[in-house]
Amino acid sequence: MENSQLVSITFLAYTIIISIGSINCIDNNNLVTNQSALFVFGDSVFDAGNNNYIDTLSSVRSNYWPYGQTTFKSPTGRVSDGRLIPDFIAEYAWLPLIPPNLQPFNGNSQFTYGVNFASGGAGALVGTFSGLVINLRTQLNNFKKVEEMLRSKLGDAEGKRVISRAVYLFHIGLNDYQYPFTTNSSLFQSISNEKYVDYVVGNMTDVFKEVYNLGGRKFGILNTGPYDCAPASLVIDQTKIRSCFQPVTELINMHNEKLLNGLRRLNHELSGFKYALHDYHTSLSERMNDPSKYGFKEGKKACCGSGPLRGINTCGGRMGLSQSYELCENVTDYLFFDPFHLTEKANRQIAELIWSGPTNITGPYNLKALFELN
């Protein structure tokens, strides 16, 4: 208990210190950060609570216990027991927690540190969970509004400086590959896997180019992790518990190859375009297949859920199911908090690799190098 209180106090002190230490006053009494800002786009891997503020289903929200139990001591909308990858990236960059774009009490000065546009369940395609999430195109439109606000409030030159120095962090695409199977869609009877992946990656690179055209130059991207072998996927076929969901495997592998090629093309075509691509597929696979090497006892069983491997996503009563759920005693033993999402401990490890990992896991830049570029 004392250790838990110490962590909470230290975390609070850190937030206060950097909030004071990283700002300057300018003539119009707005606040401008000295650090490069962080703008976050994506899905539930990054969503800091935007889905709390949209009209959607409980299945794509996480604003209930036991989510948030570790660091925040209450639910925030993050799909984890605690902090997410962008929270740690912000800490390493000496920024405060980056707020959800839809959080109602955001101030203009807060946006100069960055904004989180991510939405749990979102995809690069508009049709993925349509009407229930904030898709990538809408996230881009929300960013454009923030960009206009910054230029209006800070002045054109200062607004452009914030946008050009900022880092843009993305994790998107996985839901586009899972969604057709959750709806029993016949999509893949009418379109090839390769063409479908082309649509997903094409939408992603189009958004990268639009952010570039608005002045963004520094991009952090995660490829798609091995969620075909996450606890939820391992129980889809009840006759083959612990078998990965093969229909998604091919899509994920193809996506990661095409994403890499797409980033290389942008790097060649766009002057000043810099990127850090994290091989999330490898970093997460290593922890799933050899958890003890990374300080975990369970790599393929969730801390919270029900059924085999706690792979049925009933955590906290998700999806309105009356079925009870199990919650592990020691969350730090687990890689996955719920059947699809990582624990805070795992998020920290991945964030460290994104921030300062070697080029074989995050390259050609890592995020630390991008933040240091002016």
Side-chain angles (χ1 to χ4, degrees):
M1 183 67 177
E2 291 179 355
N3 288 340
S4 175
Q5 291 175 336
L6 179 60
V7 169
S8 298
I9 292 170
T10 303
F11 181 66
L12 176 62
Y14 150 78
T15 303
I16 293 171
I17 289 169
I18 64 173
S19 296
I20 295 172
S22 63
I23 56 178
N24 279 336
C25 290
I26 61 176
D27 292 342
N28 62 1
N29 293 321
N30 287 302
L31 296 173
V32 181
T33 178
N34 287 325
Q35 282 75 25
S36 298
L38 177 64
F39 294 100
V40 180
F41 302 78
D43 51 29
S44 57
V45 174
F46 284 177
D47 184 1
N50 280 309
N51 280 12
N52 293 350
Y53 307 106
I54 64 175
D55 184 13
T56 190
L57 304 175
S58 62
S59 58
V60 288
R61 282 184 177 151
S62 299
N63 55 345
Y64 41 82
W65 190 261
Y67 292 102
Q69 67 175 21
T70 299
T71 296
F72 303 103
K73 308 305 179 187
S74 64
T76 64
R78 291 168 173 81
V79 196
S80 181
D81 63 297
R83 286 168 284 178
L84 304 179
I85 290 168
D87 299 322
F88 289 109
I89 297 300
E91 176 184 333
Y92 305 152
W94 286 92
L95 294 167
L97 288 175
I98 305 302
N101 176 55
L102 298 182
Q103 185 170 275
F105 45 87
N106 285 330
N108 291 336
S109 61
Q110 179 65 61
F111 285 161
T112 61
Y113 295 113
V115 189
N116 188 322
F117 302 97
S119 170
L125 303 180
V126 173
T128 298
F129 295 108
S130 179
L132 299 175
V133 301
I134 308 166
N135 63 63
L136 182 60
R137 174 57 54 177
T138 304
Q139 291 179 36
L140 174 66
N141 291 337
N142 290 339
F143 167 70
K144 289 178 179 179
K145 294 175 185 177
V146 170
E147 185 263 346
E148 291 174 0
M149 182 275 295
L150 288 172
R151 291 172 61 181
S152 173
K153 297 294 183 181
L154 303 179
D156 194 59
E158 186 61 37
K160 287 181 177 178
R161 186 190 74 89
V162 171
I163 296 302
S164 65
R165 291 187 60 189
V167 171
Y168 300 86
L169 185 63
F170 291 81
H171 178 276
I172 199 80
L174 173 65
N175 290 309
D176 297 301
Y177 303 125
Q178 292 176 327
Y179 175 70
F181 300 102
T182 65
T183 59
N184 295 317
S185 170
S186 58
L187 174 70
F188 294 109
Q189 295 176 13
S190 58
I191 186 174
S192 69
N193 284 4
E194 183 169 8
K195 192 69 174 177
Y196 186 75
V197 173
D198 284 338
Y199 286 142
V200 174
V201 174
N203 278 19
M204 291 174 64
T205 55
D206 283 348
V207 168
F208 301 160
K209 284 189 283 189
E210 290 202 46
V211 173
Y212 175 91
N213 290 335
L214 290 168
R217 292 296 181 269
K218 300 183 288 185
F219 295 78
I221 302 106
L222 279 65
N223 70 11
T224 298
Y227 285 97
D228 52 317
C229 302
S233 299
L234 295 176
V235 301
I236 291 176
D237 186 345
Q238 292 289 306
T239 67
K240 296 180 180 178
I241 299 296
R242 292 186 175 268
S243 294
C244 300
F245 189 53
Q246 292 299 324
V248 173
T249 303
E250 180 183 355
L251 294 167
I252 288 175
N253 292 339
M254 194 179 298
H255 171 95
N256 289 342
E257 181 179 351
K258 287 181 178 289
L259 177 61
L260 174 58
N261 291 336
L263 288 170
R264 286 172 173 168
R265 281 195 301 272
L266 292 181
N267 189 55
H268 178 73
E269 295 169 1
L270 305 178
S271 175
F273 178 87
K274 304 277 193 303
Y275 71 92
L277 175 62
H278 175 64
D279 188 359
Y280 187 38
H281 194 277
T282 293
S283 58
L284 185 53
S285 292
E286 289 176 344
R287 285 159 177 77
M288 291 168 68
N289 295 326
D290 191 4
S292 61
K293 181 179 179 180
Y294 301 95
F296 301 100
K297 292 182 180 179
E298 294 286 353
K300 295 183 179 179
K301 181 179 182 179
C303 168
C304 185
S306 58
L309 305 177
R310 298 194 186 108
I312 301 174
N313 202 0
T314 54
C315 186
R318 181 179 291 276
M319 304 180 74
L321 299 177
S322 59
Q323 182 178 0
S324 61
Y325 65 92
E326 300 172 4
L327 182 65
C328 66
E329 291 187 7
N330 188 355
V331 67
T332 60
D333 287 342
Y334 288 77
L335 180 66
F336 284 90
F337 182 64
D338 76 9
F340 259 123
H341 302 93
L342 303 185
T343 59
E344 178 179 274
K345 177 179 174 179
N347 283 325
R348 180 194 291 274
Q349 291 185 10
I350 301 299
E352 288 172 354
L353 292 172
I354 298 169
W355 178 253
S356 58
T359 54
N360 67 320
I361 196 71
T362 304
Y365 294 86
N366 55 37
L367 276 200
K368 182 175 186 290
L370 288 185
F371 270 95
E372 291 171 348
L373 287 173
N374 291 323

